[in-house]
């Protein structure tokens, strides 16, 4: 397996592959309700310089796994840096108020993503227009989760909302089964 961990400096646009200096990488994701997390430990050497807010892209064998941003980094006295990155679902923890009438879960996701300037990818059509969804001062993740719960109750079909390496995506769970 080949790994690539690219860090892009927001300030300069300079990109570099940090994989040779990374000691370990841990990617965590949940089916719903929380952002994907990429944690890694890197040895500071060779002029490595990055800050919170810089973009991180992690790939395995050329396949993108994670695209997100550095949220925290802590450095010890031995020049070892622990880094925590989150994907764009993290930005959906912001509270907002929305009123939707006759909209599908995909349309709701599209509108919220547009309001927060987030990228979307494949948004499966659920075929179910939610008659009414009014939510005040709730996290955007909670609003989307409620739309998906209403869709499940009405259709019996489970959908998964996730960040697909930089694109918010909605997929029918049954279509995501991998061949062993």
């Amino acid at each position: 397996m080949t790994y690539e961990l690219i860090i892009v400096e927001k300030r300069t646009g300079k990109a570099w592959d940090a994989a040779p200096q990374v000691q370990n990488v841990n990617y965590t994701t949940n089916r719903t309700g929380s952002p994907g997390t990429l944690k890694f430990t890197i040895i500071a050497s060779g002029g490595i310089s990055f800050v919170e807010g810089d973009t991180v892209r992690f790939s395995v064998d050329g396949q993108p796994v994670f695209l997100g941003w550095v949220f925290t980094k802590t450095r010890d006295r031995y020049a070892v840096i622990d880094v925590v990155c989150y994907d764009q679902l993290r930005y959906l923890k912001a509270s907002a108020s929305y009123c939707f009438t006759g909209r599908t879960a995909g349309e709701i996701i599209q509108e919220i993503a547009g309001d927060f300037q987030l990228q979307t990818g494949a948004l499966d059509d659920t075929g179910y227009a939610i008659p009414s969804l009014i939510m005040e001062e709730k996290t955007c993740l909670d609003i989307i989760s409620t739309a998906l719960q209403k869709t499940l109750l009405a259709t019996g079909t489970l959908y998964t909302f996730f960040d697909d390496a930089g694109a918010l995506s909605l997929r029918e769970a049954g279509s995501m089964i991998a061949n062993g």
Side-chain angles (χ1 to χ4, degrees):
M1 282 193 196
T2 58
Y3 302 97
E4 181 180 68
L5 196 146
I6 304 294
I7 299 176
V8 180
E9 293 180 29
K10 178 174 54 174
R11 185 176 43 84
T12 65
K14 179 183 174 187
W16 47 274
D17 186 1
Q21 292 143 310
V22 170
Q23 289 183 323
N24 61 52
V25 176
N26 183 9
Y27 173 60
T28 306
T29 187
N30 295 300
R31 191 185 71 74
T32 186
S34 65
T37 305
L38 184 79
K39 296 179 181 181
F40 61 93
T41 302
I42 187 167
I43 306 290
S45 64
I48 290 176
S49 175
F50 62 96
V51 297
E52 289 83 352
D54 286 352
T55 305
V56 174
R57 184 176 68 237
F58 180 64
S59 302
V60 177
D61 292 332
Q63 291 295 112
V65 174
F66 176 88
L67 177 70
W69 294 266
V70 174
F71 268 74
T72 63
K73 61 182 231 182
T74 55
R75 182 182 185 133
D76 71 12
R77 63 183 172 160
Y78 303 107
V80 175
I81 304 171
D82 290 318
V83 183
V84 177
C85 308
Y86 295 107
D87 63 23
Q88 59 182 341
L89 288 181
R90 172 66 178 82
Y91 296 104
L92 294 177
K93 287 189 163 217
S95 292
S97 296
Y98 281 95
C99 177
F100 298 105
T101 304
R103 306 282 295 277
T104 66
E107 291 168 337
I108 290 170
I109 291 167
Q110 188 72 49
E111 183 171 328
I112 292 172
D115 290 347
F116 284 82
Q117 300 178 346
L118 302 174
Q119 299 299 312
T120 58
L123 297 172
D124 286 0
D125 181 7
T126 63
Y128 174 68
I130 299 166
S132 176
L133 179 63
I134 300 169
M135 300 197 69
E136 294 184 31
E137 290 304 311
K138 299 291 182 190
T139 70
C140 292
L141 275 175
D142 286 343
I143 294 168
I144 292 167
S145 179
T146 300
L148 294 175
Q149 289 170 0
K150 287 181 176 282
T151 300
L152 174 60
L153 289 173
T155 67
T157 304
L158 180 64
Y159 288 87
T160 301
F161 175 60
F162 61 102
D163 186 316
D164 189 11
L168 297 178
S169 300
L170 178 66
R171 302 278 312 277
E172 181 182 344
S175 73
M176 297 176 68
I177 297 171
N179 293 330

